[in-house]
Amino acid sequence: CDVWNPKAVRSAMGASFTVPVLEIGKGGEKEALDQVLDLLERGGVDNDRVFAATMEDAGDKASLAHYGIDFTSKEGGAAVILG
């Protein structure tokens, strides 16, 4: 997922430059996730307010529809992880 792809930047109509984007280097998925969760926690986002896109459609890891989550229900903000 390349957020700086020219087509992605053009279609976002400049929003790409106002939304914070964090790119984690190559490595193990577990280590990258731990880095992200640690950084978000230091920024005031509780781990229970971090949402990630998955391809799972059943079981404990099933994705919820984005419109089914109340992102405003708690102070401290929320984070969405893509990619």
Side-chain angles (χ1 to χ4, degrees), residues 2-13 16:
D2 181 14
V3 297
W4 305 119
N5 179 294
K7 290 182 180 181
V9 172
R10 183 175 54 237
S11 67
M13 298 185 298
S16 303

Side-chain angles (χ1 to χ4, degrees), residues 24-32:
I24 299 295
K26 302 282 186 205
E29 290 179 12
K30 176 70 173 136
E31 292 82 16

Side-chain angles (χ1 to χ4, degrees), residues 14-76:
S16 303
F17 304 111
T18 63
V19 176
V21 174
L22 173 67
E23 295 184 51
I24 299 295
K26 302 282 186 205
E29 290 179 12
K30 176 70 173 136
E31 292 82 16
L33 180 60
D34 288 341
Q35 286 179 346
V36 170
L37 292 176
D38 182 51
L39 182 68
L40 290 171
E41 190 170 28
R42 285 186 278 143
V45 177
D46 293 335
N47 285 347
D48 63 340
R49 299 292 299 157
V50 177
F51 303 94
T54 68
M55 298 300 290
E56 301 291 331
D57 60 358
D60 292 341
K61 297 180 181 179
S63 289
L64 300 174
H66 68 279
Y67 51 80
I69 298 171
D70 184 5
F71 291 103
T72 64
S73 67
K74 197 173 188 183
E75 289 185 26

